[in-house]
Amino acid sequence: MALLHPIVLVAFLPIWAFCYWILPYFTTYKHLSHIPGPFVAKFSNLWLALGAQRGQKFAWVHAAHQKYGKVVRVGFNHVSIATAEGLRTVYAHGNGFLKDTYYEAFVSGVPGVFNVRDRDEHTRKRKIIAHAFSPGAVHDFEPHMSANLKRWVTQLDRATVNPGVDGYSRVNIMPWCTFLAFDIIGDLAFGAPFGMVQRGRDECESTRPGEPATYVPGAETLNRRGEVSSTLGLLPALRPWARYLPHPFFYRGLQSVKNLHGIAYAAVTKRLASMDGDKPGKRHDILEMLCRSKDAEGNPMPRDELVSEALTELIAGSDTMASGGIQAQ
Ligand code: HEM
């Protein structure tokens, strides 16, 4: 068809770029034009997305604050504020701000408490989940955490059993902190540790409905999925096409999104299968709390939501705990 003739396409591209990137700067987002920031960031999210793709978004935003001040335009409609009052204003409950469409890139299956954008839905989820984090519930988690810690110390003792000539053993603690964090969160959110500490290896079972189980590296899967979702969250127009992009960052990253969901699906399915009917049993952990909880109408959480919430705990609780462990060394 003559319509897509390369010459037409080449002539059309600058017009499209003008309408898509330049025009909104002078019209829709004119009120932001006085806010300083990197030049490209005034017109598009490409600058921030590149930072996310390199796993450096936080560092780039921090450097931009050092260069431009406390209020920086980091995207065409995105302003970063680094002041104490800004924190209160932006995050205050009932201020009318919704979570950005950015969070939609983090949804796999149905939305969880972290990525749901609807306020009422968030409140409903929070009410259900709050029970799992009450002081009493957290106290009940202690025996599981302590069993995992004991296993960890035993494995570290084994790993350091043969000191070098200087009398010291050397071990890279970073992966071991990750194994511990995954095992603890697996134990609490899914009812059993992933067994990473025992195996001394980053490995989790991942399944999808009707498919055989595969084994994937949990921490690597989590990191890849975080980076690809963070990048695509900033480029929503690219999201539907991302799987066709011939760059490993995208196709491996999107595979990790599926694998991560598969990890949660496999673990929740295993745990529910071991339960007595609908009863989660006597084990006190986050999954048991979620299974027992009911919404305002007395309905329990459906299975797909259970998978998403357990997945949220895995994502929220593994890297954060592992970094805490490393900093504590
Ligand atoms: C030092 C450790 C941790 C840090 C620094 C941290 C930080 C954060 C931050 C900044 C958010 C807000 C994210 C956003 O809305 O964009 C968040 C949300 C959340 N975190 Fe953590 N977190 C930590 C540990 C954990 C652990 C161990 C768990 C669970 C086992 C957890 C569960 C959650 C959940 C469920 C949310 C979503 C809450 C909601 O939207 O209502 N976090 N966390």
Side-chain angles (χ1 to χ4, degrees):
M1 289 274 286
L3 249 185
L4 286 180
H5 190 283
I7 296 177
V8 178
L9 209 60
V10 169
F12 179 71
L13 266 180
I15 302 172
W16 176 82
F18 179 79
C19 296
Y20 192 74
W21 280 313
I22 318 275
L23 205 57
Y25 174 80
F26 292 105
T27 54
T28 320
Y29 302 112
K30 196 172 158 218
H31 57 291
L32 302 179
S33 60
H34 65 286
I35 300 174
F39 181 72
V40 177
K42 293 171 193 283
F43 304 95
S44 82
N45 278 348
L46 285 175
W47 175 79
L48 202 53
L50 190 65
Q53 192 259 331
R54 295 183 180 178
Q56 291 295 311
K57 192 172 81 171
F58 70 101
W60 287 23
V61 171
H62 179 62
H65 275 298
Q66 286 180 320
K67 184 166 176 191
Y68 297 103
K70 303 237 176 255
V71 180
V72 180
R73 189 170 183 180
V74 291
F76 68 97
N77 68 345
H78 188 162
V79 176
S80 175
I81 302 167
T83 65
E85 322 104 75
L87 192 71
R88 279 193 290 272
T89 311
V90 174
Y91 287 109
H93 200 72
N95 64 5
F97 288 141
L98 270 189
K99 276 194 166 181
D100 187 53
T101 51
Y102 170 80
Y103 286 87
E104 286 167 4
F106 290 82
V107 176
S108 63
V110 298
V113 68
F114 161 72
N115 47 37
V116 69
R117 294 183 62 226
D118 182 271
R119 276 199 178 263
D120 293 340
E121 201 31 28
H122 184 260
T123 307
R124 182 188 75 83
K125 282 172 179 291
R126 273 296 279 267
K127 275 192 189 143
I128 299 179
I129 287 161
H131 299 289
F133 295 100
S134 68
V138 172
H139 182 262
D140 287 342
F141 298 160
E142 275 186 23
H144 304 305
M145 297 178 70
S146 139
N148 279 288
L149 277 164
K150 274 191 196 137
R151 244 190 317 269
W152 190 63
V153 171
T154 307
Q155 289 293 69
L156 284 181
D157 281 344
R158 271 193 204 142
T160 52
V161 81
N162 292 318
V165 280
D166 58 359
Y168 288 100
S169 290
R170 282 171 183 77
V171 58
N172 181 2
I173 201 70
M174 203 173 103
W176 283 100
C177 286
T178 303
F179 301 159
L180 175 67
F182 261 82
D183 271 5
I184 291 181
I185 204 73
D187 209 354
L188 298 182
F190 302 122
F194 287 108
M196 286 196 189
V197 167
Q198 201 62 44
R199 289 192 293 272
R201 233 184 7 251
D202 177 12
E203 188 181 83
C204 299
E205 183 183 331
S206 174
T207 339
R208 261 168 281 153
E211 287 183 23
T214 50
Y215 287 86
V216 296
E220 190 193 309
T221 301
L222 193 75
N223 290 342
R224 274 191 203 286
R225 170 265 184 201
E227 281 164 11
V228 82
S229 301
S230 189
T231 306
L232 291 175
L234 291 161
L235 303 171
L238 192 64
R239 233 180 280 158
W241 313 105
R243 71 182 118 143
Y244 306 111
L245 295 175
H247 194 289
F249 175 78
F250 292 103
Y251 57 78
R252 284 206 195 132
L254 292 172
Q255 185 59 46
S256 295
V257 172
K258 286 189 188 152
N259 289 346
L260 192 65
H261 192 83
I263 292 175
Y265 181 84
V268 170
T269 305
K270 230 183 232 174
R271 173 74 192 281
L272 295 188
S274 71
M275 286 176 184
D276 170 18
D278 275 347
K279 294 189 197 83
K282 287 213 164 36
R283 200 175 189 279
H284 290 296
D285 55 35
I286 301 177
L287 192 60
E288 184 244 7
M289 292 282 188
L290 294 179
C291 289
R292 267 202 289 139
S293 54
K294 306 253 187 308
D295 66 13
E297 277 81 51
N299 301 315
M301 224 184 224
R303 168 80 69 104
D304 50 358
E305 198 178 351
L306 215 50
V307 172
S308 284
E309 298 308 345
L311 181 60
T312 302
E313 304 309 331
L314 170 66
I315 296 163
S318 50
D319 263 0
T320 44
M321 274 205 276
S323 337
I326 291 160
Q327 276 161 21
Q329 302 303 312

